[in-house]
Amino acid sequence: RKEVEQDPGPFNVPEGATVAFNCTYSNSASQSFFWYRQDCRKEPKLLMSVYSSGNEDGRFTAQLNRASQYISLLIRDSKLSDSATYLCVVNMGYGGSQGNLIFGKGTKLSVKP
Amino acid sequence: DTEVTQTPKHLVMGMTNKKSLKCEQHMGHRAMYWYKQKAKKPPELMFVYSYEKLSINESVPSRFSPECPNSSLLNLHLHALQPEDSALYLCASSQGERSVGELFFGEGSRLTVL
């Protein structure tokens, strides 16, 4: 089983739609979870951190389900500017080990007018 | 605008050349990273410096040599690279152990090896 798995998409949605991505992880001891967005030929940028059950920031909601070992990202009222690849990142280790960050392959979102 | 600055943005080099990539951050972060990213793939960790000491080397070939002159600077020295080393090289920083996973990336140096 791959360590961090994401549906690669692409997800093609109209403006204003609600879209959700899932990310599954293999290590039940994983401590913290992150969503990054990466625009084409740009660097990844941190979107949200998830340390407990979830997090909400405006139109974006991340939820963690430890029992089923997945994290979801919900985007409400999609904007054209939300078009990007969304990377799920899982800290598989204990404490502060920087080497245990595992990136998923990303889910591509395309929001159409 | 990113607070992690990388130079050069683009680099073309031959297999016998020696070049360096540079990265700078002034956020007071104590951990700095080099990642390599190929097209349509996620970033792959290469090196981690924590408090200016190399803490992680992910079995990277010796033709890549990292250097951390001080807490704000990170270099990646390149020598005798192969065409398959062509990729986007991303520098990142984080506050340290308490915020592992909250990375600030530079815009990257796009490297082409001929």
Side-chain angles (χ1 to χ4, degrees), chain B residues 13-77:
Chain B
M13 60 187 290
M15 290 190 285
T16 57
N17 292 157
K18 283 186 180 180
K19 297 286 184 182
S20 297
L21 306 181
K22 297 184 184 302
C23 176
E24 189 170 1
Q25 59 88 14
H26 293 289
M27 295 179 283
H29 288 177
R30 305 318 301 254
M32 295 186 75
Y33 310 70
W34 280 114
Y35 280 86
K36 172 184 176 180
Q37 187 174 27
K38 302 278 267 185
K40 299 188 188 300
K41 301 283 188 184
E44 296 174 28
L45 182 64
M46 299 175 72
F47 302 104
V48 180
Y49 273 83
S50 181
Y51 293 86
E52 302 166 47
K53 293 190 188 312
L54 182 64
S55 61
I56 293 171
N57 176 341
E58 289 286 351
S59 303
V60 179
S62 59
R63 58 186 184 269
F64 295 92
S65 174
E67 178 196 17
C68 188
N70 60 55
S71 60
S72 300
L73 295 175
L74 186 65
N75 299 323
L76 186 63
H77 302 298

Side-chain angles (χ1 to χ4, degrees), chain A residues 32 34 36 38 41-44 46 49 51 87 91 95-99 101 103-105, chain B residues 2 31 33 35 37 42-43 45 48 50 56 58 90 97 100-103 105-107 110:
Chain A
S32 47
F34 308 87
Y36 282 75
Q38 186 169 24
R41 299 182 70 82
K42 297 284 192 180
E43 75 277 18
L46 180 64
S49 305
Y51 293 101
L87 297 164
N91 179 9
S97 175
Q98 295 101 336
L101 290 178
F103 280 75
K105 292 187 176 181
Chain B
T2 182
Y33 310 70
Y35 280 86
Q37 187 174 27
L45 182 64
V48 180
S50 181
I56 293 171
E58 289 286 351
L90 292 161
E97 292 187 355
V100 171
E102 294 184 356
L103 302 174
F105 284 91
E107 293 183 344
R110 194 165 296 278

Side-chain angles (χ1 to χ4, degrees), chain B residues 36 38 61 63-64 80-87 89 111 113:
Chain B
K36 172 184 176 180
K38 302 278 267 185
R63 58 186 184 269
F64 295 92
L81 295 194
Q82 304 295 311
E84 59 265 28
D85 296 322
S86 299
Y89 288 84
L111 173 67
V113 182

Side-chain angles (χ1 to χ4, degrees), chain A:
Chain A
R1 181 179 176 182
K2 293 180 183 175
E3 292 185 288
V4 177
E5 286 198 68
Q6 295 183 251
D7 183 339
F11 284 62
N12 296 310
V13 303
E15 262 187 298
T18 295
V19 61
F21 311 135
N22 276 346
C23 167
T24 58
Y25 59 95
S26 59
N27 186 347
S28 59
S30 299
Q31 297 293 301
S32 47
F33 310 86
F34 308 87
W35 284 102
Y36 282 75
R37 69 169 281 166
Q38 186 169 24
D39 293 277
C40 187
R41 299 182 70 82
K42 297 284 192 180
E43 75 277 18
K45 292 185 179 178
L46 180 64
L47 181 64
M48 300 186 80
S49 305
V50 183
Y51 293 101
S52 56
S53 60
N55 196 359
E56 184 172 334
D57 183 5
R59 297 183 294 109
F60 298 85
T61 301
Q63 288 193 316
L64 169 63
N65 185 320
R66 286 192 187 274
S68 301
Q69 293 181 211
Y70 76 82
I71 318 105
S72 63
L73 178 67
L74 182 77
I75 305 175
R76 290 181 295 276
D77 189 21
S78 300
K79 311 290 185 192
L80 296 176
S81 57
D82 293 333
S83 298
T85 295
Y86 289 82
L87 297 164
C88 173
V89 181
V90 178
N91 179 9
M92 296 279 191
Y94 292 97
S97 175
Q98 295 101 336
N100 288 320
L101 290 178
I102 307 296
F103 280 75
K105 292 187 176 181
T107 297
K108 186 172 181 180
L109 172 66
S110 181
V111 181
K112 306 291 187 185

